[in-house]
Amino acid sequence: MLKIAVLVSGSGSNLQAIMDEISRGNLNASIEMVISNNENAFALERAEAKGIETYVFDRKTYRENMGDKILEVTEEKVDLIVLAGFLSILKGKLIDKFENRIINIHPALIPSFCGKGMYGIKVHEAVIKSGAKFSGCTVHFVNHNVDDGAIIAQEVVPVYFEDTKEILQARVLEKEHKILSASIKAIEENRLEIVDGRVRIKDI
Ligand code: GRF
């Protein structure tokens, strides 16, 4: 049983997707805690409804040492940290202590439309503006640089000329829910190895 901490900032639909997969018996994991950098995140209500322990570390208060606060509550308690729409950048010892044990979902096809300042609806806006015909989402390991760690899984969606950023966001989000749980499952089942900075994964 894989023990996980899920980090959130907003609605928490990705958190919900993970909880649902666990409830259905498709994912042998237990969410030990949900950590939010925003006290108003709806994700906290989703967690509380399931009786999951929650922590709030305000984004502004812990701007510089968010990583340290998270390490304080997760160290020795969880095997994997899942960033599911978490909008603070993590730095410091946490990244080394949890090397290859922190994953993030990004709502575009890395290495495009990613990096500092490229998050949430801004990503979809930039994709539409670029004229790209496809977008998607990426699950990747977290390292010391933003959106830079080894890619675990990706899913592609079409971009239509009439799309608004909100329509594209909804199309991508549906795929996020699938590949985030699938990636956690692959980690739990030891189906993943890192070779020369790239992830080899069986049956994703
Ligand atoms: C997702 O699109 C995620 O990729 C992004 O923020 C959104 C979070 O959605 N970084 P939710 O809170 O899981 O509903």
Side-chain angles (χ1 to χ4, degrees):
M1 166 98 62
L2 191 73
K3 292 185 186 166
I4 62 181
V6 182
L7 276 51
V8 296
S9 299
S11 149
S13 68
N14 277 290
L15 166 68
Q16 189 67 52
I18 299 166
M19 294 193 303
D20 291 348
E21 279 298 276
I22 293 174
S23 301
R24 287 186 203 111
N26 293 337
L27 186 57
N28 186 24
S30 124
I31 302 177
E32 299 293 305
M33 60 186 80
V34 167
I35 305 173
S36 175
N37 65 356
N38 164 16
E39 62 174 353
N40 298 315
F42 182 62
L44 289 168
E45 287 179 41
R46 297 185 195 258
E48 279 152 19
K50 283 266 179 189
I52 297 170
E53 186 167 15
T54 59
Y55 295 87
V56 176
F57 301 132
D58 181 74
R59 194 170 62 89
K60 290 195 178 115
T61 313
Y62 297 104
R63 197 183 292 278
E64 285 313 309
N65 56 348
M66 181 64 80
D68 295 339
K69 284 309 285 183
I70 289 164
L71 184 59
E72 247 175 65
V73 295
T74 53
E75 200 172 14
E76 316 293 339
K77 293 226 176 88
V78 304
D79 308 307
L80 180 73
I81 295 177
V82 178
L83 311 191
F86 185 67
L87 299 181
S88 284
I89 292 171
L90 295 175
K91 296 184 243 181
K93 277 192 301 212
L94 172 76
I95 308 291
D96 297 319
K97 293 245 170 164
F98 274 84
E99 191 182 10
N100 299 330
R101 292 192 300 136
I102 308 178
I103 64 172
N104 179 46
I105 178 93
H106 181 75
L109 294 171
I110 289 176
S112 290
F113 306 103
C114 62
K116 217 168 172 206
M118 201 44 104
Y119 59 86
I121 199 77
K122 289 188 196 179
V123 176
H124 306 293
E125 195 176 6
V127 169
I128 289 176
K129 203 168 168 212
S130 76
K133 301 299 180 204
F134 290 93
S135 188
C137 48
T138 304
V139 178
H140 64 93
F141 284 111
V142 171
N143 64 14
H144 286 283
N145 302 313
V146 181
D147 296 335
D148 179 64
I151 293 170
I152 300 168
Q154 291 186 308
E155 187 71 61
V156 176
V157 303
V159 181
Y160 300 116
F161 189 82
E162 288 74 20
D163 278 349
T164 61
K165 50 190 192 288
E166 290 80 11
I167 289 172
L168 179 59
Q169 181 178 45
R171 191 177 302 127
V172 170
L173 195 57
E174 210 176 294
K175 300 291 187 188
E176 290 182 38
H177 297 160
K178 296 206 173 95
I179 64 167
L180 189 53
S181 292
S183 299
I184 297 169
K185 192 174 167 74
I187 291 169
E188 197 274 324
E189 293 175 353
N190 261 319
R191 280 188 280 113
L192 184 155
E193 59 173 328
I194 302 178
V195 185
D196 295 334
R198 291 192 299 150
V199 170
R200 174 187 281 150
I201 189 163
K202 279 191 215 139
D203 310 323
I204 185 81

